[in-house]
Amino acid sequence: MSGEARVFHLRTPISDEDVEKLRVGDIIYITGIMVTARDEAHKKILEVLERGEKLPIDLRGLVLYHCGPVVRKRPDGTWEVVAAGPTTSMRMESVEAEFIAKTGVKVIVGKGGMGRRTAEAMKKYKAVYAVFTGGAGALAANRIKRVVDVYWLEELGIPEAVWVFEVEEFGPLVVTIDSHGNNYYEKHMEEVRKRAEEIKKELLSKIEH
Amino acid sequence: MALSRETLEKAFYDFILRVSTGMPEDIYLAIKRAYETEENPVAKTQLEAILKDMNIACSETRPICQDTGTPYLWVEIGEDFPLKPLVIEEAFKSALRKATKEGYLRPNAVDPLYAKNSGDNTGRFIPWVHYEPVPGDKLTVRLLFKGGGSEAPSTLIMSTPLKGFENLYTGVIDTIVRYGPLPCPPLIVGVAIGAGADIVMSLAKKALLRPIGQRHPDPKAAKIEEELLEAINKLGVGPHGFGGKYTALDVKFEYAHRHPATFAIGIVTGCWATRRGTIQFESDGSYRILSKHLVPEGGACVIR
């Protein structure tokens, strides 16, 4: 990506209009509610909806975060988020399109990018995927103001449970899938693969026999 | 201070916190240099976020990354060091349990057969420990907290000897391209050649411990490191896949003698948050953390 990035500050609930303004390469900061879900929580949430039951939290307009945090309980019983960077999003590719369609989340935050099915669902249901710097768990925790709630903690354990975070200026998040059908990583990695062929030829010419 | 299991445990606990929350000096400085010289604006935002993260982790004593990794230990135990390996290992495990219980480490040890997290970062063969007896009466322990995401690209190539170097070069490039942003670049890339699969994977991982910028003492090995580093950075994957000059911070090459019929190649990656450190004990129980880290001092973060 080149040129100065556009910067947006979004507040939940996020509207379709907010989402439609965004393009790959834009940088966003989020204030409001982010809800975590990894592999097991995706399965759990989709099962609840499949049975026609209500989720403990209405996800419409909210931000889904692929994250398994480090947390600890304070003496007063409230939770402290110690570190909370993103996990690899691609693991959720097989269920994310259905998740977007059924929950109405507007922004998905993770790392490493997602695939074609998710990108198609984002175009259809108006949502974006944005990357938070992988590994930056302390920075992320610093932007989480409090834990509003946690669901299925006993059943799923700390990393897999659904954590509801109130966040302030959570970012920088780089949009890599927008609601117009663009998928930044797909294009970028295609360019990298092309360059790789040239680079390999050059390297092989250096081998000493 | 007398040497005892308790002395070791207390020192290991401090050491674990230091390694989990304080970036090693060499990686911190390499990221800082990358930030200062990167021209791609989005790549620069990633490097800036990484530097902020390192500083917050240091000043607030938080883990640098929420994936606090799997603990790997390389233990050099002096033949005349008074404590036995099992005592040393038990002391380390107690320190790990304490640090996990206090919320400094995420419980990451999962029993694969019974799908149960041990809850305290210890388990069957975990921590994974290499022992090396050495002359003298000191104990030196090197620790690596290895993140799960950066394990994904680990690659073994059992090459024929005639195609060995060709497969080495193309294998490294193909691996970095295949995994793109997933292992959290800028990376440290460990590469090794040897007789067998286990030898090269082990050497490649241990190579991640060598400081950034330090070249292999053998000139041919050093040349391989330099050529691979230059080639990887020409790919332009960039920090978290956002392009720019820094896909790898360094390449570390190691080799063992091979079998006439084999040319095993091991490739291992470490994320930008490669958390590693070294602690050394004297036989009287005194100790020093030999590695330098970003640590809090008087309201600021300094390297010490």
Side-chain angles (χ1 to χ4, degrees), chain A residues 72 85 139 185 195 200 202, chain B residues 53 66 174 234-235 240:
Chain A
R72 65 181 157 217
L139 175 62
Y185 277 131
R195 273 198 294 277
K200 281 194 278 186
E202 206 181 309
Chain B
D53 182 71
Q66 77 291 335
D174 287 343
K234 273 193 205 157
L235 288 170
H240 292 290

Side-chain angles (χ1 to χ4, degrees), chain A residues 1 3 68 70 72 81-83 85-86 111 133-139 142 174 184-185 188-189 193 195 200 202 208, chain B residues 40-41 46 49 53 60 62-66 102-103 106 174 177 180 182 184 223 234-237 240-242 272:
Chain A
M1 291 183 183
V70 181
R72 65 181 157 217
V81 180
V82 182
K111 79 175 177 91
T133 311
L139 175 62
N142 182 268
V174 185
Y184 161 76
Y185 277 131
H188 179 61
M189 289 314 293
R193 276 190 286 275
R195 273 198 294 277
K200 281 194 278 186
E202 206 181 309
E208 292 171 29
Chain B
N40 175 319
Q46 298 302 301
D53 182 71
E60 300 178 6
R62 293 174 185 273
I64 293 151
C65 174
Q66 77 291 335
E102 290 175 0
R106 190 176 74 181
D174 287 343
V177 172
L182 296 181
C184 290
K223 186 166 166 275
K234 273 193 205 157
L235 288 170
V237 174
H240 292 290
F242 290 116
W272 63 259

Side-chain angles (χ1 to χ4, degrees), chain B residues 15-71:
Chain B
F15 180 49
I16 286 167
L17 256 53
R18 177 74 55 89
V19 172
S20 177
T21 66
M23 274 312 285
E25 173 186 36
D26 62 320
I27 302 179
Y28 177 72
L29 293 178
I31 293 283
K32 203 157 170 267
R33 271 194 305 274
Y35 171 71
E36 282 158 5
T37 50
E38 180 56 74
E39 284 154 21
N40 175 319
V42 181
K44 213 172 164 82
T45 64
Q46 298 302 301
L47 295 164
E48 188 185 7
I50 289 171
L51 285 174
K52 274 188 191 162
D53 182 71
M54 292 172 176
N55 277 289
I56 291 168
C58 156
S59 58
E60 300 178 6
T61 321
R62 293 174 185 273
I64 293 151
C65 174
Q66 77 291 335
D67 179 0
T68 53
T70 293

Side-chain angles (χ1 to χ4, degrees), chain B residues 78-116:
Chain B
E79 285 177 315
D80 300 318
F81 187 72
L83 295 179
K84 296 262 194 308
L86 284 182
V87 176
I88 296 164
E89 203 169 317
E90 280 309 315
F92 191 86
K93 281 185 178 173
S94 300
L96 261 182
R97 291 190 187 105
K98 183 166 187 254
T100 309
K101 197 168 168 219
E102 290 175 0
Y104 291 109
L105 300 175
R106 190 176 74 181
N108 273 349
V110 179
D111 184 319
L113 296 187
Y114 298 92
K116 180 130 183 72

Side-chain angles (χ1 to χ4, degrees), chain A residues 1 22-26 174-178 182-185:
Chain A
M1 291 183 183
L22 301 171
R23 294 289 188 283
V24 293
D26 288 346
V174 185
V175 176
T176 72
I177 300 175
D178 62 25
N182 301 306
N183 190 341
Y184 161 76
Y185 277 131

Side-chain angles (χ1 to χ4, degrees), chain B residues 4 54 75 92 96 131 150-151 160 167 191 194 202 214 238 243 269-270 299:
Chain B
S4 67
M54 292 172 176
V75 177
F92 191 86
L96 261 182
Y131 286 103
S150 63
E151 273 301 281
T160 56
N167 285 330
V191 184
S202 200
Q214 184 199 75
T269 58

